[in-house]
Amino acid sequence: PDLLFPELKKFNRVYNFYEDKNGLLWFGTMGSGLFSYDFKADKYQNYNFEKSKGLSDDGNSVFYLDGVGDEIWCGTNRGVRIFNPATKKFRSFSEWPSKERIDTSYVSYLAASETDSSIWFYGDGKGFFRYSYSDKSIQKFSLADTDSVGKALHFISSITVDTAGGVWIGSWNGLLKYNKETRRLDFYRSESNDSTAIPAGFISRGVLYRDGT
C-alpha cells in the first residue's frame, strides 16, 4: 500500500533512504524536512529545523542523510545538520577549520564509513571533504586542481561506501575511489579502446551487491 504523509507537500521530492539499527526508515525531502517511519507500528514522525535554535533553513530540505552511531547526519541547504533521535533535536556540524567552513553552503551529497570512522561531504562550489570523527580531522580535495581528479570533483553525482569501508565517488567525468594508503583519490575513466575500462564516463549512482562489493 502507498504510504501517505500529510506533511509532504504536493509534488514534494523524497531523497535518499537510511534504515537504522532499530528498523526505522529515515528519508529526507525537499521542503518538508526529515521523516522517520516505523514499519512495525505503522507510524511516522516529521522533524523540521528549529528557528528558535538558530537552525532555520529557508528550504527546510534534507538532500542526503546517513547514520553515524545513534545520530542521523543530514546534508542541507545550510551545511550539515546532525539529528539526535533521543532528544529530537538538530545541531549544526561545527568542526570546520575557519578557512574550510561550508556551514552556509548547499551540501548535496553525504555518506558515512563506519569502518574508518569517516564522513564524506560534497559542498557545491566549496569542495569535497573527508571528516574523521575519531580524531576530528578534515581532509579537503580541492575543486581547483587541474588534474583529472579535480575536474571530476566538479560534478559529483553519488557517494557509495562498501562494507569494507571503500568509498566510491560517481561523477560526470568518471569514477573515483579513495585510496586509504595514499590518502588520495584514484581516478577511473572510460576508454573507448579499452575493453577492461568502465563502460561510461557519467556515473550517476553506486549500487552494492549483497556481499558488500
Side-chain angles (χ1 to χ4, degrees):
D2 293 337
L3 300 177
L4 302 178
F5 304 110
E7 286 83 357
L8 281 176
K9 300 174 183 178
K10 189 176 182 181
F11 306 122
N12 201 320
R13 291 184 180 181
V14 174
Y15 291 96
N16 73 318
F17 297 85
Y18 165 72
E19 185 175 358
D20 68 19
K21 61 185 179 182
N22 297 313
L24 291 179
L25 181 69
W26 297 85
F27 59 93
T29 69
M30 176 178 282
S32 295
L34 177 68
F35 281 80
S36 68
Y37 178 70
D38 187 329
F39 287 96
K40 293 181 179 179
D42 190 25
K43 293 182 179 180
Y44 72 91
Q45 294 288 332
N46 177 220
Y47 305 100
N48 294 290
F49 301 111
E50 307 161 87
K51 294 182 179 180
S52 62
K53 299 295 183 180
L55 296 180
S56 60
D57 183 340
D58 295 337
N60 193 33
S61 300
V62 175
F63 300 108
Y64 254 72
L65 57 89
D66 208 342
V68 178
D70 294 324
E71 297 183 313
I72 309 297
W73 288 56
C74 308
T76 78
N77 286 37
R78 297 291 185 269
V80 177
R81 303 283 192 252
I82 304 168
F83 181 73
N84 186 321
T87 63
K88 295 180 171 49
K89 300 291 185 180
F90 287 94
R91 71 178 188 277
S92 292
F93 175 67
S94 58
E95 300 294 339
W96 298 110
S98 58
K99 65 178 181 179
E100 305 291 8
R101 298 188 72 84
I102 64 167
D103 51 346
T104 59
S105 297
Y106 174 67
V107 176
S108 53
Y109 294 99
L110 177 152
S113 172
E114 293 187 1
T115 304
D116 65 353
S117 303
S118 65
I119 304 172
W120 296 78
F121 314 110
Y122 177 64
D124 284 8
K126 296 291 186 178
F128 190 59
F129 300 85
R130 175 185 180 272
Y131 170 67
S132 171
Y133 53 86
S134 60
D135 63 12
K136 301 187 182 304
S137 63
I138 292 181
Q139 181 179 5
K140 179 181 179 180
F141 301 88
S142 176
L143 305 183
D145 292 343
T146 58
D147 59 8
S148 297
V149 170
K151 292 178 180 178
L153 289 179
H154 274 279
F155 302 100
I156 293 295
S157 50
S158 67
I159 308 173
T160 304
V161 180
D162 62 35
T163 54
V167 179
W168 302 81
I169 301 100
S171 83
W172 291 18
N173 296 310
L175 179 68
L176 303 105
K177 183 182 181 183
Y178 180 65
N179 188 318
K180 295 180 182 179
E181 295 182 359
T182 64
R183 290 177 54 84
R184 295 178 60 85
L185 295 173
D186 294 331
F187 179 68
Y188 305 88
R189 183 167 183 159
S190 62
E191 298 292 345
S192 58
N193 60 349
D194 185 353
S195 61
T196 63
I198 59 175
F202 175 62
I203 309 296
S204 61
R205 289 292 182 270
V207 178
L208 290 180
Y209 285 99
R210 290 185 178 181
D211 64 359
T213 58

